Structures are given as C-alpha cells and as structure tokens.
Amino acid sequence: MALVGKKFPNISVNAMNDMGDTFKINVLEEAKNNNKKVVLFWYPKDFTFVCPTELHAFQAALGEFEKRNTMVIGASCDTPEVHFAWLSTAKDNGGIEGVTYPILADSNRNLSNMLGILDITNEVFDEETGTVQVEGDNVTYRATYIIDEEGTVQHESINNMPLGRNVNEYLRLVDALTHVQEKGEVCPANWEDGKEAMQPNAKGTAKYLASQLN
C-alpha cells in the first residue's frame, strides 16, 4: 500500500549512533517536533556489499541535506549491537566508520512490516509444527522515504537488493518539495534547483513547454 500523501507510521524504533548509544527514534515525531524534512533510507544488511557504499554516500552528502533543513536516518533489521560493530569497522575494511547520522535497528521488524518492504516472497503454514515459515531473507529492500515537516510522506521508492541509489536524486527531490512548498509552483520533468518551474494549470503547462522549444 502506497504511503505517499499519508502520515508516516507513529512508532518508536531502537536506533544506534556512532557513539555507541542505543535510543528510541520516532520518525514522525522527529519531523514534526524539529520542523524538518526527513530522508529515511532502508538497506538490507550490515556487513554486506552495496550497503556500505550507500551509507557513505549519504554521509558525504549530509551537509547538503542539513543545508536543506533535512535529517538523514538509515535503517535495517540488524540489532543495535551489530550496527555499532559496523560503525566501529574501518571504511577500508568494508565498514561504515565515520557515519554520524542515526541508524534504526528494526530487529523486531515492526516498522518494516508496517511499511511492507520486507523480502518475503511467500509464507507457508506448516501444519506439523503449527508455525508460519517464510521464503525470502526477511530483510528490507532498498526503500527510501521523504517525509515533510508535518510528518506526511511525499516520496517513497523501493530498489531491489543489487540496485544502489543515487543520493543526488534525493537532494533534487528535497529541492523540488521545498520549491513547491515555498513558491506554489509544480516541478516538471528533470527539474533542478534554479531552473524554471510551472504554474499548476493549463496555461502554465503551455508556457513551460513553449519555453523548451527555444
């Protein structure tokens, strides 16, 4: 079920930071209480392959997100202790040492299950044991959410495991959302900050398309 246009789930989840502190984060409250946008990105597993490249890429862009009044939060289904072990592992050894934003540890899968982003291809009830057995790794896909200052989801996307994200695209989307909020215009295809946007009506569309003919 798509969450765009709806409030992000109101649930607190364990998180870990680079200091080794375990604490609770409620993403909805973080957005509303701090009057900030939030980029929440999920990745499958700590100590894997594509994942550290993404965490370092978001870290490298952290200052750009902060300029845009936007928080970055990572997330997976690993435990806080595993997060800290990875945070304590050097970059040249496959670790994420140097990452400073919080990382959710949704080890009970309460939030990821609510979001519907777990890699479960099938569920089978085993009559002999009376248990439900799942097919799939039961970890998250590469899901990304942009949440506005009111806690409303403005963007969601999901990549399969092998497909790493382009962090610059999320900066562009935050810029577009901010432009819409501040100017009341809408952002056409391939829009970037500083480029012409459109009035949300037929005349605005015609004017914009005409400008692209030159």
Side-chain angles (χ1 to χ4, degrees):
M1 181 181 68
L3 282 182
V4 170
K6 302 180 178 68
K7 295 294 184 185
F8 193 80
N10 184 9
I11 182 175
S12 295
V13 182
N14 281 336
M16 173 61 67
N17 62 20
D18 59 324
M19 302 301 293
D21 302 317
T22 301
F23 53 99
K24 294 283 188 181
I25 285 185
N26 182 311
V27 175
L28 176 68
E29 291 181 356
E30 290 293 316
K32 295 174 66 175
N33 294 346
N34 293 296
N35 194 34
K36 291 179 180 288
K37 297 178 180 67
V38 176
V39 172
L40 171 66
F41 74 97
W42 294 78
Y43 61 92
K45 298 178 185 177
D46 292 0
F47 291 100
T48 52
F49 319 115
V50 175
C51 297
T53 69
E54 293 192 312
L55 273 82
H56 285 298
F58 276 103
Q59 179 65 34
L62 191 59
E64 292 299 318
F65 283 109
E66 290 173 346
K67 288 178 187 177
R68 292 161 170 82
N69 194 43
T70 301
M71 303 173 62
V72 172
I73 300 174
S76 80
C77 296
D78 296 278
T79 65
E81 293 78 13
V82 174
H83 281 343
F84 187 56
W86 205 24
L87 284 161
S88 303
T89 302
K91 185 175 182 179
D92 61 4
N93 198 30
I96 58 168
E97 186 177 38
V99 168
T100 58
Y101 49 82
I103 306 175
L104 300 186
D106 188 37
S107 54
N108 58 17
R109 292 163 170 75
N110 284 342
L111 179 54
S112 51
N113 187 54
M114 291 175 68
L115 297 174
I117 57 174
L118 290 167
D119 172 27
I120 299 175
T121 56
N122 193 25
E123 295 182 341
V124 178
F125 180 74
D126 188 311
E127 295 184 358
E128 184 176 344
T129 62
T131 60
V132 175
Q133 299 178 11
V134 300
E135 297 175 6
D137 287 340
N138 202 22
V139 298
T140 65
Y141 295 108
R142 300 187 192 282
T144 315
Y145 299 86
I146 297 177
I147 301 142
D148 70 15
E149 297 87 344
E150 300 299 320
T152 301
V153 177
Q154 297 291 336
H155 166 87
E156 64 178 321
S157 59
I158 303 176
N159 291 7
N160 208 344
M161 310 299 188
L163 306 177
R165 284 162 279 213
N166 183 337
V167 173
N168 288 330
E169 172 62 4
Y170 300 103
L171 289 169
R172 190 192 73 83
L173 287 168
V174 169
D175 285 339
L177 174 57
T178 301
H179 186 92
V180 171
Q181 291 172 325
E182 294 179 353
K183 305 294 186 182
E185 296 180 316
V186 292
C187 297
N190 300 322
W191 182 91
E192 295 177 346
D193 189 31
K195 290 187 175 182
E196 181 183 359
M198 302 163 52
Q199 290 296 321
N201 52 50
K203 288 183 178 179
T205 302
K207 179 182 177 182
Y208 175 81
L209 292 175
S211 73
Q212 303 306 298
L213 297 175
N214 299 326

